[in-house]
Amino acid sequence: MSNTNGGFLSLPKGFSTMAIHEEQEPEKWAHKEVIMPISLTVSYKQSEPGIVKKYSHSRQGNPTRDVLERVIAKMENGNCATCYGSGLGSITTLLALLKQGDHILCIDDVYGGTYKLFTEVGTRFGVEVSFSNCNVTSFAKNIRSNTRMIFVETPTNPTLQIVDIEELSKLAKKHGALLVVDNTFLTPYFQRPLVLGADIVMHSLTKYMNGHSDVSMGALVVKDEQIGKRLKFLQEHMGVVPSPFDCYQVLRGMKTLTLRMDQHRENSLAVARYLENHPKIEKVLHPGLPSHPQHELAKKQMSGHSGMLAAYIKGDIVTTKKFLKSLKCFTLAPSLGDSESLVALNAVMTHSGVPKEQREKLGITDNLVRFSVGIEDTEDLLADLEQALAQI
Ligand code: P1T
């Protein structure tokens, strides 16, 4: 898939160099350190009361965070990025762009935590929330006169549906709504929503961008300067900032982003193809497979796919749990995007907060297993699946 890239768009040029060097020239630091020093201080000395050179308090600005934000903005083709203490922290900040009486139109297959935040927190502040399936025609039908934000994941968590970002952005613009795209599953290496017309890109940096399962962080990226300024204001005044040490860790993680993503892509395709041909598997969901109902759209707007896929096991919850417990190389845990391969039974884990009826309508059933395929040796992953499927 690497050279022809499986028919996907060509990969962004110079992206690895950007992820490693952008904003991090040794000339910038006091001792010309090759790796940027971490600035841990919370506050900064003033020459006279009220005279601030650049930074005053680290909630307002911090050199390590600033570098991370500028690199992420550049990777996403944006002008301004702001980072937060978690992916959900960044979505909480999005809510603060709205006011009572505004409406969010959200894709129906969305991370369970995002669903809860919108339906159980947003609504308490008088923000209306409703849901649409992944088709732009459905968004058009469900848009209201007070819709101020359209929020989508693409591919979605966990059923890997794809939304046409370019088409949806036209609809959002026509109605004066902001289009937010959660780019967590792909990272800017595989998809750049701002280029396709989105207004805001959201990330759980906790996942692929950091990639090592040891940081919780989120980000919002925009092109528009006014929105960028407002988000900076909210970041400071809502106090949802990440620690400088965590910012350093994400910067470090991003240096290997492209290598990791290439391996995630190869491994997830190998796992998807293996599972698709296995008699104990009912169906596989992976945008890189020609059997995916939106494979052509995926190729149009993505330059590759990550380690995320889902599969329906032939059998009930007991059989599915037995399969999950038999795995040795795949760890049963929520979260995704790590070097380690993870599996989840979303119906009882990441999406247990979504009402059962809605879960089933979306296909998040008791036999749906989500795989976050890591970067281990492909053969070891396939062998693990083989032995676990043999147990059921
Ligand atoms: O975990 P946090 O950094 O707060 O990110 C929230 C979030 C946002 N968007 C997407 C697409 C996500 O998948 C998540 C978090 N998801 C999991 C923890 C999970 O296991 O699906």
Side-chain angles (χ1 to χ4, degrees), residues 86-89 91 111 114 153 157 182 184-185 202 204-207 216-217 334-336 346 350-351 370:
S86 69
L88 276 190
I91 307 176
Y111 169 55
T114 306
E153 291 172 1
N157 183 1
D182 182 335
T184 299
F185 269 30
M202 179 262 146
S204 166
L205 301 175
T206 316
K207 313 297 188 305
S216 165
M217 209 189 290
S335 202
L336 55 108
N346 298 84
T350 57
H351 289 66
R370 187 189 70 188

Coordinates of all heavy atoms in Angstrom, one line a residue, residues 86-89 91 111 114 153 157 182 184-185 202 204-207 216-217 334-336 346 350-351 370, ligand 1:
S86 N -7.5 17.2 27.9 CA -7.9 15.9 27.4 C -8.7 16.2 26.1 O -9.0 17.4 25.8 CB -8.8 15.2 28.3 OG -10.1 15.9 28.5
G87 N -9.0 15.2 25.3 CA -9.8 15.4 24.1 C -11.2 15.9 24.5 O -11.7 16.9 23.9
L88 N -11.7 15.4 25.5 CA -13.1 15.9 26.0 C -13.0 17.3 26.5 O -13.9 18.1 26.3 CB -13.7 15.0 27.0 CG -14.4 13.7 26.5 CD1 -15.2 13.1 27.7 CD2 -15.4 14.1 25.4
G89 N -11.8 17.7 27.1 CA -11.6 19.0 27.5 C -11.7 20.0 26.4 O -12.2 21.1 26.5
I91 N -13.5 19.5 23.6 CA -14.9 19.6 23.2 C -15.7 20.4 24.2 O -16.6 21.2 23.8 CB -15.5 18.2 23.0 CG1 -14.6 17.3 22.0 CG2 -16.9 18.3 22.4 CD1 -15.0 15.9 21.8
Y111 N -17.9 9.0 19.6 CA -17.4 8.5 20.9 C -18.4 8.7 22.0 O -19.0 9.8 22.2 CB -16.0 9.2 21.2 CG -15.5 8.9 22.6 CD1 -15.3 7.6 23.0 CD2 -15.2 10.0 23.5 CE1 -14.9 7.4 24.3 CE2 -14.8 9.7 24.7 CZ -14.6 8.4 25.2 OH -14.1 8.2 26.4
T114 N -18.2 11.8 24.1 CA -18.7 13.1 23.4 C -20.2 13.1 23.4 O -20.8 14.2 23.7 CB -18.2 13.0 21.9 OG1 -16.8 12.8 21.9 CG2 -18.5 14.3 21.2
E153 N -17.2 13.0 13.6 CA -16.0 12.2 13.6 C -16.0 11.5 12.2 O -17.0 11.1 11.7 CB -16.0 11.1 14.6 CG -16.0 11.5 16.0 CD -16.2 10.3 17.0 OE1 -16.4 9.2 16.5 OE2 -16.3 10.6 18.2
N157 N -16.3 6.5 15.5 CA -16.0 5.6 16.5 C -17.2 5.0 17.1 O -18.0 5.7 17.6 CB -15.2 6.4 17.6 CG -14.7 5.6 18.8 OD1 -14.9 4.4 18.8 ND2 -14.2 6.2 19.8
D182 N -13.6 15.8 14.2 CA -12.7 15.1 15.1 C -11.8 14.2 14.2 O -12.3 13.3 13.6 CB -13.6 14.3 16.1 CG -12.8 13.6 17.1 OD1 -11.6 13.3 16.8 OD2 -13.4 13.2 18.2
T184 N -9.2 12.5 15.3 CA -8.4 11.6 16.2 C -8.0 10.3 15.5 O -6.9 9.9 15.7 CB -9.3 11.3 17.4 OG1 -9.5 12.6 18.1 CG2 -8.5 10.4 18.4
F185 N -8.9 9.7 14.7 CA -8.7 8.4 14.2 C -7.6 8.4 13.1 O -7.0 7.4 12.8 CB -9.9 7.8 13.6 CG -10.7 6.9 14.6 CD1 -10.7 7.2 15.9 CD2 -11.5 5.9 14.1 CE1 -11.4 6.4 16.8 CE2 -12.2 5.1 15.0 CZ -12.2 5.4 16.4
M202 N -10.6 18.9 15.6 CA -10.5 18.6 17.0 C -9.7 17.3 17.1 O -9.7 16.4 16.2 CB -11.9 18.4 17.6 CG -12.0 17.9 19.0 SD -12.2 16.2 19.1 CE -11.2 15.8 20.6
S204 N -8.1 14.2 20.0 CA -7.7 13.7 21.2 C -6.2 13.3 21.0 O -5.9 12.3 20.3 CB -8.5 12.4 21.6 OG -7.8 11.8 22.7
L205 N -5.3 14.2 21.5 CA -3.9 13.9 21.3 C -3.5 12.7 22.1 O -2.4 12.2 21.9 CB -3.1 15.2 21.7 CG -3.4 16.5 21.0 CD1 -2.6 17.6 21.6 CD2 -3.0 16.4 19.5
T206 N -4.3 12.3 23.1 CA -4.1 11.1 23.9 C -3.8 9.9 23.0 O -3.2 9.0 23.5 CB -5.4 10.9 24.7 OG1 -5.9 12.1 25.2 CG2 -5.2 9.9 25.8
K207 N -4.3 9.9 21.8 CA -4.3 8.8 21.0 C -3.1 8.8 20.0 O -2.0 8.8 20.5 CB -5.6 8.7 20.2 CG -6.9 8.9 21.0 CD -7.1 7.9 22.1 CE -8.3 7.9 22.9 NZ -8.7 9.1 23.6
S216 N -2.7 12.5 28.6 CA -4.1 12.8 28.2 C -4.1 14.3 27.7 O -3.7 15.2 28.5 CB -5.0 12.7 29.5 OG -6.2 13.3 29.3
M217 N -4.5 14.5 26.5 CA -4.5 15.9 26.0 C -5.4 16.0 24.7 O -5.7 15.0 24.0 CB -3.1 16.3 25.6 CG -2.8 17.8 25.7 SD -1.3 18.3 25.0 CE -0.1 17.6 26.2
P334 N -10.0 0.2 27.0 CA -10.4 1.3 26.2 C -9.2 2.1 25.6 O -8.1 1.8 25.9 CB -11.3 2.2 27.1 CG -10.8 1.8 28.5 CD -10.2 0.4 28.4
S335 N -9.5 3.2 24.9 CA -8.5 4.1 24.3 C -8.0 3.4 23.0 O -8.4 2.3 22.7 CB -7.4 4.4 25.2 OG -6.7 5.6 24.7
L336 N -7.1 4.1 22.3 CA -6.7 3.7 21.0 C -5.5 4.5 20.6 O -5.1 5.4 21.2 CB -7.8 3.9 20.0 CG -8.4 5.3 19.9 CD1 -8.0 6.0 18.6 CD2 -9.9 5.3 20.0
N346 N -17.2 -2.4 22.6 CA -17.7 -1.0 22.8 C -19.0 -0.9 23.5 O -19.3 0.0 24.2 CB -17.7 -0.3 21.4 CG -16.3 -0.2 20.8 OD1 -15.9 -1.1 20.2 ND2 -15.6 0.9 21.1
T350 N -16.6 1.7 25.8 CA -16.6 3.1 25.5 C -18.0 3.7 25.2 O -18.2 4.9 25.2 CB -15.8 3.3 24.2 OG1 -16.4 2.4 23.1 CG2 -14.4 2.9 24.4
H351 N -19.0 2.9 24.9 CA -20.3 3.4 24.5 C -21.4 2.9 25.4 O -22.6 2.9 25.0 CB -20.6 3.0 23.0 CG -19.8 3.8 22.0 ND1 -18.4 3.6 21.9 CD2 -20.1 4.8 21.2 CE1 -18.0 4.5 21.0 NE2 -19.0 5.2 20.5
R370 N -14.0 -3.7 18.6 CA -13.2 -2.7 17.9 C -11.7 -3.0 18.2 O -11.3 -3.3 19.3 CB -13.5 -1.3 18.5 CG -12.8 -0.2 17.8 CD -12.9 1.1 18.5 NE -12.2 1.2 19.7 CZ -12.2 2.1 20.6 NH1 -13.0 3.2 20.4 NH2 -11.5 2.1 21.7
Ligands
P1T1 O1 -9.9 10.5 26.0 P1 -9.8 11.9 25.6 O2 -8.5 12.4 25.3 O3 -10.6 12.8 26.4 O4 -10.5 12.0 24.1 C1 -11.9 11.8 23.9 C2 -12.2 11.3 22.5 C3 -12.5 12.2 21.5 N1 -12.7 11.8 20.2 C4 -12.5 10.5 19.9 C5 -12.8 10.0 18.5 C6 -12.2 9.5 20.8 O5 -12.1 8.2 20.5 C7 -12.0 9.9 22.2 C8 -11.7 9.0 23.3 N2 -11.9 7.6 23.0 C9 -11.7 6.6 23.8 C10 -11.2 6.7 25.0 C11 -12.1 5.3 23.2 O6 -11.7 4.2 23.7 O7 -12.8 5.3 22.2

